[in-house]
């Protein structure tokens, strides 16, 4: 049987060479100098790399949107502040178009903040391309590998290459995965991060000490390690929003589209009615084209234009749990390629903890999708077979579920057969919808959406797309050793409980965190910590500083305590108990920055506690982070 499977694998791999040759034509050719708009790229780089670069305040952004009239409309209005929406705003703004973006919650409050944290080329799609001789899947892999490299290069402080280990418990698996991942290297070409390789049992256990040598009656024969990228997803999303604002887009979070506005004939969408959910006030904004980038909820926006549209979204959910750091070594992930039901399970180091999760499964669209207990237990059971440590339910620090919008094929019966590529279409004049795809390909998705908007609105951009080589704010001039400048040149001035201000060391843990979270702008945060006495840590054992709250309120559109703990510093994802203890101090700093009165402070604390903690019974506490689709479980269940 094993020999037959090996012959089958060899046949498929041989046949795949024809696919690879055919896909070479699909590989994007180098862009000519005239198409790449070097002058426009340089202008955008200068804006994003300025040491004093900062997005306009929220009030100015709201005024700019409200100031768009039928006589002087925006060129593009983007609905949705996730990765794709912010990517569209950045692309359009750097082409010289007049751009607005509205997000009904916070930037990255949806699926974009609860991804796998991987920037991947799609090795599973490559397997399908080979065995099914599927040219479309192979094109998708080429596309994703190209974009993977660009995402890492354009946000070097937030993204890095991560080795992922695949354990093999028989020699067929060794040969199968080694050949498959070597083909993955070949397909990556010049976009390769690092070469994959085989490790013996002894080498594997040295690299991953908690890896089991035996799985039931099977013995480990070695591992194959390949590389993909990893990111801090919501901080990358916020960085895209801020970069868009710096280069001229008017971006506004907590701005909900109430309805779409049509022209007098009712034929074309020409704007939207917006509700500022912070003030409760509504206003109209007008645009030549509206781009619907609202992710899993894009059908609801489409229905505002035509209530009879056929739904295009097949929602898929991925459940993730957070475990202590000792489950995986720093700098090495574990990929279980096929579980009992055929899904992939992964275990990855992330921000000092371990993230474990599954691939897609069908779900319903809801604001608060819950990771069910059976899904959490499935992940624990799956990783248990591959570890030599006891896997305990009580070690689950948090859990969440996100909805991924897949473009639905009416003939598809399950999410595995649905295309992972994105779809751009205009099913009502003036309304462009971009959906599908994945985090890795957000930039090219945005490029395609802006191209469609230009055609729809007969827009006149000053230049072509330049985002292929445009760093986000904080990325220019950053290198891995940048943290040493913070450690050597700054102090963490902090107040004691008695009110006395005392100096503290800007130690390596804090310096590295600030450098990776804020890039070259980390010195701004360090200066606030030093000059304003905000150098105290928000939670014991974590490197997050009080100064970050002030910085995010001033320069990153942080409007609530949950915005900070969930999407600016990620503490709520890492340790919900610590996030709850830090909440009062976070609110105190935000109140000072935003001039909240006592009533607002009280309301904010109530909302924060309600969103972070919803005790269901004495044995289990469920933590919720609305309005994002996330439900988190407390440790100790």
């Amino acid at each position: 049987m094993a020999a037959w499977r090996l012959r089958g694998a060899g046949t498929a791999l041989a046949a795949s060479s024809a696919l690879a040759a055919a896909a070479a034509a699909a590989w994007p050719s180098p862009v000519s100098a005239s198409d790449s708009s070097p002058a426009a790229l340089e202008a955008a780089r200068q804006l994003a790399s300025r040491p004093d670069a900062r997005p306009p305040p929220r009030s100015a952004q709201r005024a700019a949107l409200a100031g768009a009239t039928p006589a002087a409309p925006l060129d593009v209005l983007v609905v949705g502040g996730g990765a794709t929406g912010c990517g569209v705003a950045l692309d359009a703004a750097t082409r010289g178009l007049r751009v607005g973006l509205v997000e009904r919650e916070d930037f990255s409050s949806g699926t974009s903040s609860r991804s796998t944290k991987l920037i991947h080329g799609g090795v599973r799609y490559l397997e399908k391309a080979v065995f099914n001789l599927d040219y479309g899947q192979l094109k998708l892999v080429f596309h994703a590998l190209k974009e993977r490299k660009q995402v890492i290069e354009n946000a070097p402080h937030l993204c890095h290459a991560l080795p992922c280990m695949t354990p093999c418990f028989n020699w067929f698996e060794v040969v199968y995965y080694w050949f498959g991942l070597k083909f993955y290297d070949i397909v990556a070409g010049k976009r390769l991060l690092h070469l994959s390789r085989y490790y013996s049992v002894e080498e594997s256990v040295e690299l991953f000490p908690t890896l089991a040598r035996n799985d039931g009656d099977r013995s480990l024969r070695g591992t194959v390690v390949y590389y993909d990228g990893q990111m801090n997803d919501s901080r990358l999303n916020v960085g895209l929003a801020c970069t868009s604002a710096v280069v001229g887009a008017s971006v506004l979070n907590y701005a909900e589209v109430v309805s779409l506005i049509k022209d007098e004939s009712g034929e074309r969408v020409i704007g939207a009615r917006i509700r500022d959910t912070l003030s409760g006030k509504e206003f109209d904004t007008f645009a030549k084209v509206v781009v619907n980038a609202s992710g899993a909820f894009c059908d609801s926006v489409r229905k505002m234009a035509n209530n009879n549209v056929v739904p295009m979204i097949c929602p898929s959910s991925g459940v993730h749990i957070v475990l202590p750091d000792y489950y995986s070594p720093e700098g090495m992930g574990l990929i279980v390629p096929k579980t009992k039901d055929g899904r992939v399970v992964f275990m990855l180091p992330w921000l000092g903890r371990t993230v474990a999760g599954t691939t897609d499964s069908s779900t319903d669209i809801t604001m608060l999708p819950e990771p069910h207990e059976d899904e959490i237990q499935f992940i624990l059971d799956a990783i248990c077979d591959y570890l030599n440590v006891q896997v305990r339910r009580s070690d689950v620090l948090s859990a969440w579920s996100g909805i991924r919008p897949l473009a639905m094929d009416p003939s598809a019966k399950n999410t595995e057969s649905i295309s992972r590529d994105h779809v751009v279409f205009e099913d009502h004049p003036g309304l462009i919808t971009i959906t599908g795809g994945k985090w890795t390909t957000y930039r090219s998705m945005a490029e395609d959406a802006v191209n469609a908007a230009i055609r729809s609105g007969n827009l006149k951009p000053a230049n072509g797309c330049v985002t292929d080589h445009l760093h986000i704010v904080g990325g220019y001039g950053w290198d891995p050793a940048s943290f040493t400048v913070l450690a050597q040149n700054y102090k963490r001035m902090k107040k004691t409980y008695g009110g006395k201000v005392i100096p503290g060391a800007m130690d390596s843990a804090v310096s590295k965190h600030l450098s990776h979270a804020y890039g070259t702008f980390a010195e701004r945060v360090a200066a606030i910590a030093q000059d304003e006495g905000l150098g105290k840590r928000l939670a014991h054992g974590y490197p997050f500083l009080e100064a970050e709250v002030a910085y995010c309120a001033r320069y990153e559109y942080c409007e609530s305590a949950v915005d900070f703990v969930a999407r600016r510093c990620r503490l709520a994802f890492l340790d919900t108990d610590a996030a709850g203890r830090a909440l009062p101090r976070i609110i105190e700093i935000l109140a000072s920055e935003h001039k909240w009165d006592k009533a607002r402070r009280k309301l904010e604390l109530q909302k924060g506690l309600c969103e972070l903690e919803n005790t269901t019974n004495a044995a289990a506490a469920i933590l919720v982070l609305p309005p994002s689709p996330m439900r988190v479980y407390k440790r100790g269940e």
Side-chain angles (χ1 to χ4, degrees):
M1 182 65 179
W4 178 86
R5 292 175 70 188
L6 281 170
R7 286 197 297 273
T11 301
L13 286 170
S16 69
S17 60
L19 273 176
W27 190 272
S29 58
V31 185
S32 67
S34 59
D35 292 335
S36 62
S37 308
L41 175 60
E42 183 58 30
R45 283 176 172 171
Q46 289 181 3
L47 289 172
S49 62
R50 286 174 52 184
D52 61 343
R54 60 192 65 189
R58 187 176 185 277
S59 58
Q61 301 289 60
R62 184 188 183 284
L65 288 170
T69 65
L74 300 167
D75 290 313
V76 178
L77 173 65
V78 185
V79 180
T84 303
C86 290
V88 171
L90 179 58
D91 188 312
T94 52
R95 297 198 202 195
L97 298 174
R98 189 181 175 200
V99 183
L101 179 147
V102 291
E103 161 59 45
R104 67 177 174 181
E105 303 295 347
D106 185 27
F107 303 118
S108 193
S109 61
T111 305
S112 293
S113 64
R114 51 191 48 80
S115 70
T116 63
K117 321 305 178 193
L118 283 177
I119 315 166
H120 60 92
V123 68
R124 286 191 301 140
Y125 312 152
L126 181 62
E127 183 181 30
K128 290 182 181 179
V130 170
F131 283 96
N132 299 334
L133 298 181
D134 190 330
Y135 175 67
Q137 292 281 353
L138 190 58
K139 284 177 61 179
L140 184 60
V141 176
F142 271 91
H143 178 211
L145 286 168
K146 172 186 178 293
E147 293 301 318
R148 178 187 71 175
K149 185 73 169 178
Q150 290 308 129
V151 173
I152 295 173
E153 290 181 354
N154 290 344
H157 55 301
L158 294 170
C159 308
H160 62 273
L162 178 70
C164 298
M165 177 177 286
T166 297
C168 305
F169 287 90
N170 59 58
W171 291 113
F172 168 75
E173 289 183 345
V174 171
V175 175
Y176 180 82
Y177 292 125
W178 187 87
F179 270 106
L181 292 171
K182 280 301 177 184
F183 188 53
Y184 192 55
D185 292 346
I186 293 171
V187 171
K190 63 182 180 180
R191 278 84 177 182
L192 180 70
L193 300 179
H194 297 284
L195 283 170
S196 61
R197 62 159 293 180
Y198 165 78
Y199 286 96
S200 68
V201 175
E202 290 72 21
E203 291 172 323
S204 300
V205 173
E206 183 177 353
L207 290 170
F208 206 110
T210 56
L211 182 66
R213 288 176 176 263
N214 298 286
D215 176 19
D217 57 351
R218 302 188 304 167
S219 297
L220 186 68
R221 301 300 182 185
T223 61
V224 181
V225 174
Y226 73 100
Y227 286 78
D228 261 329
Q230 190 177 50
M231 63 178 166
N232 187 334
D233 50 7
S234 71
R235 284 217 54 80
L236 178 54
N237 197 157
V238 170
L240 288 169
C242 292
T243 307
S244 302
V246 165
V247 299
S250 301
V251 300
L252 190 68
N253 55 354
Y254 294 99
E256 180 181 7
V257 174
V258 177
S259 61
L260 295 177
I261 302 172
K262 297 182 180 180
D263 60 14
E264 293 181 355
S265 66
E267 293 296 322
R268 186 175 181 86
V269 174
I270 59 171
R273 180 72 173 175
I274 309 297
R275 178 186 295 120
D276 184 338
T277 59
L278 296 182
S279 67
K281 297 180 179 179
E282 296 186 2
F283 62 91
D284 293 334
T285 187
F286 295 86
K288 297 175 183 177
V289 181
V290 175
V291 175
N292 174 17
S294 51
F297 301 93
C298 75
D299 282 336
S300 63
V301 176
R302 294 174 62 222
K303 288 182 178 180
M304 291 182 183
N306 178 4
N307 195 49
N308 297 319
V309 294
V310 177
M312 296 294 295
I313 292 299
C314 181
S316 170
S317 70
V319 175
H320 306 79
I321 63 175
V322 173
L323 298 165
D325 57 343
Y326 55 74
Y327 273 84
S328 63
E330 183 179 357
M332 179 66 74
L334 183 72
I335 304 291
V336 179
K338 185 170 288 188
T339 59
K340 297 172 183 177
D341 68 349
R343 286 190 286 177
V344 176
V345 169
F346 55 85
M347 194 168 65
L348 311 169
W350 184 68
L351 298 183
R353 293 290 180 267
T354 298
V355 174
T358 68
T359 52
D360 304 326
S361 59
S362 297
T363 188
D364 296 322
I365 296 178
T366 174
M367 286 297 294
L368 295 172
E370 298 181 17
H372 299 296
E373 181 60 33
D374 59 341
E375 295 173 315
I376 294 173
Q377 195 60 53
F378 170 83
I379 299 172
L380 295 174
D381 291 342
I383 65 175
C384 179
D385 295 336
Y386 294 84
L387 299 178
N388 61 15
V389 297
Q390 183 182 5
V391 178
R392 305 178 303 180
R393 179 64 179 85
S394 59
D395 284 338
V396 176
L397 300 171
S398 64
W400 69 87
S401 176
I403 299 177
R404 181 181 177 188
L406 302 179
M408 185 171 62
D409 178 356
S411 64
K413 296 181 180 180
N414 55 68
T415 59
E416 283 296 316
S417 58
I418 295 173
S419 173
R420 260 53 179 176
D421 210 349
H422 62 275
V423 177
V424 181
F425 57 95
E426 183 177 19
D427 54 2
H428 194 93
L431 179 64
I432 301 293
T433 295
I434 169 75
T435 189
K438 56 184 180 178
W439 234 119
T440 306
T441 58
Y442 84 87
R443 192 211 62 81
S444 63
M445 292 171 62
E447 182 179 352
D448 290 347
V450 174
N451 289 340
I454 290 171
R455 292 191 295 269
S456 174
N458 194 26
L459 307 180
K460 305 298 181 183
N463 50 268
C465 176
V466 300
T467 57
D468 200 19
H469 299 286
L470 179 66
H471 286 25
I472 69 168
V473 289
Y476 286 101
W478 183 88
D479 67 68
S482 295
F483 77 93
T484 59
V485 176
L486 304 178
Q488 292 179 345
N489 296 341
Y490 291 89
K491 298 290 185 183
R492 290 194 297 118
M493 305 301 293
K494 51 190 179 180
K495 289 184 179 180
T496 65
Y497 288 111
K500 183 179 180 181
V501 177
I502 60 174
M506 191 71 73
D507 56 80
S508 294
V510 170
S511 299
K512 287 180 180 179
H513 156 65
L514 294 179
S515 179
H516 282 282
Y518 303 95
T520 55
F521 291 170
E523 291 194 52
R524 294 185 184 177
V525 184
I528 295 173
Q530 178 175 273
D531 301 339
E532 301 181 30
L534 294 175
K536 194 173 182 179
R537 295 194 186 203
L538 289 167
H540 178 71
Y542 292 91
F544 310 120
L545 301 184
E546 294 174 333
E548 295 179 64
V549 184
Y551 176 86
C552 293
R554 297 172 193 177
Y555 307 121
E556 291 189 353
Y557 302 115
C558 179
E559 301 297 330
S560 75
V562 174
D563 289 352
F564 182 80
V565 295
R567 291 173 287 276
R568 301 306 189 278
C569 82
R570 317 316 304 274
L571 182 58
F573 278 68
L574 298 172
D575 190 328
T576 53
D577 288 337
R581 291 191 297 270
L583 198 60
R585 179 57 177 152
I586 292 170
I587 293 173
E588 184 180 353
I589 298 171
L590 287 175
S592 176
E593 295 293 327
H594 293 314
K595 305 299 187 268
W596 291 343
D597 57 20
K598 289 184 178 180
R600 174 62 190 274
R601 293 188 191 196
K602 183 178 180 180
L603 177 63
E604 191 71 19
L605 181 59
Q606 290 174 344
K607 285 179 57 180
L609 292 175
C610 180
E611 291 169 347
L612 284 172
E613 189 167 19
N614 179 19
T615 303
T616 56
N617 55 58
I622 297 177
L623 298 179
V624 183
L625 290 181
S628 312
M630 172 180 176
R631 189 175 293 273
V632 182
Y633 286 77
K634 240 187 187 180
R635 185 175 185 176
E637 282 191 85

